[in-house]
Amino acid sequence: MPYTKPLTKIGREEERRQKRTLIFREAVGGRLAALRMQKKDIAELTGLAESTIRRWLNEDVGIMNVDALAKFMQALQIPRETIIEMLEVK
């Protein structure tokens, strides 16, 4: 088996960020499909800008504040367990 260098601190943090974002994208994508909603519909329900929602989905969910996450979760009816799983990524 070839030798691979262990991840640096920055590499581990990047890996955690990617895992959180992946869990979030899967949950949101599933709910959007199930509810037949688009990003503009979520923006109307939450009172957030569509560009903000797009940024969260495409870049990093870590920049989302707790209040916005709660609005988002409620609008899409995302199960609490999914959000807890996303936040507990270590």
Side-chain angles (χ1 to χ4, degrees):
M1 183 173 264
Y3 173 76
T4 57
K5 287 179 139 184
L7 288 176
T8 63
K9 183 178 180 180
I10 294 170
R12 286 190 303 270
E13 182 56 38
E14 178 63 21
E15 190 175 81
R16 278 187 226 112
R17 185 188 68 78
Q18 289 176 353
K19 280 184 183 179
R20 285 190 301 259
T21 303
L22 181 64
I23 292 168
F24 182 74
R25 282 183 189 161
E26 288 177 2
V28 170
R31 293 307 300 163
L32 286 174
L35 296 172
R36 295 185 181 149
M37 295 176 75
Q38 295 180 355
K39 293 176 187 99
K40 66 179 180 179
D41 300 325
I42 300 168
E44 291 173 6
L45 286 173
T46 59
L48 301 167
E50 188 177 346
S51 61
T52 302
I53 293 169
R54 193 176 320 110
R55 186 176 65 241
W56 289 340
L57 293 174
N58 294 333
E59 294 175 17
D60 182 13
V61 71
I63 58 177
M64 183 184 282
N65 66 34
V66 177
D67 292 336
L69 180 61
K71 285 181 184 178
F72 205 82
M73 184 175 84
Q74 189 174 24
L76 288 178
Q77 304 163 3
I78 296 174
R80 176 177 279 152
E81 295 79 24
T82 303
I83 301 301
I84 291 170
E85 177 187 354
M86 179 186 74
L87 296 174
E88 289 181 343
V89 170
K90 299 205 185 260

